[in-house]
Amino acid sequence: KANGSGSYSFIDKDPDHGRNFYRLKQQDLNNVTSYSKTEEVKYFNHDDDKLHIYPNPAAHMINLDLSAKIDGREQYDIQVSNCYGFIVRQATSSQTNWQTNISNLRPGTYLVRVLGKRDRNLIGQAKFVKL
């Protein structure tokens, strides 16, 4: 309901992970209904995900953000594999943020896996789309 101030708010208590689309529906005193322009809101719950890749999809660069703590590990291995499972890029890092140029990769879907350097345990994985 309108409160007369021209401001409206709504909290989606269970948004989908990733892209969400919202619009306002208004009904005037004559029962005429109109809709606002649809707006996109991206939602990423870093408490649920151990890593986040952005932008996604991407054409030139991707950024990897490890939002969860790495359990005191000093280094971790990053593997980027194509849809056939072939590793097309590898790196070792001790930072929770990592960036790489993907301009030379073919368009398609890729999987990024982050492993602990010492024990090879999987810290997290995420997919991205190369345009």
Side-chain angles (χ1 to χ4, degrees):
K1 291 195 174 232
N3 65 8
S5 71
S7 285
Y8 307 93
S9 67
F10 175 79
I11 296 175
D12 186 347
K13 294 182 181 181
D14 190 25
D16 287 336
H17 188 77
R19 299 169 68 184
N20 292 269
F21 297 91
Y22 299 94
R23 67 180 177 173
L24 292 177
K25 175 184 176 182
Q26 350 183 89
Q27 188 171 2
D28 68 16
L29 296 174
N30 298 323
N31 286 330
V32 175
T33 301
S34 62
Y35 294 91
S36 70
K37 183 177 106 182
T38 301
E39 296 290 336
E40 177 183 4
V41 176
K42 293 182 181 176
Y43 173 77
F44 298 99
N45 184 348
H46 288 291
D47 293 335
D48 293 341
D49 293 336
K50 294 196 178 203
L51 60 98
H52 173 64
I53 297 174
Y54 61 94
N56 193 7
H60 304 290
M61 300 290 285
I62 59 166
N63 300 281
L64 174 68
D65 174 31
L66 283 163
S67 58
K69 294 187 179 178
I70 306 174
D71 301 326
R73 292 180 174 92
E74 293 178 10
Q75 290 190 328
Y76 54 90
D77 288 330
I78 302 165
Q79 298 176 341
V80 179
S81 57
N82 63 18
C83 62
Y84 300 109
F86 295 112
I87 296 174
V88 296
R89 174 106 9 108
Q90 285 185 302
T92 299
S93 180
S94 59
Q95 303 297 315
T96 57
N97 295 301
W98 180 75
Q99 184 179 66
T100 190
N101 187 327
I102 60 168
S103 295
N104 64 339
L105 295 180
R106 295 181 64 123
T109 302
Y110 291 84
L111 176 68
V112 177
R113 293 173 47 108
V114 179
L115 305 166
K117 181 84 172 159
R118 281 188 233 144
D119 56 15
R120 307 301 295 159
N121 282 341
L122 179 67
I123 295 171
Q125 62 184 16
K127 292 180 182 178
F128 74 92
V129 174
K130 163 63 166 79
L131 297 175

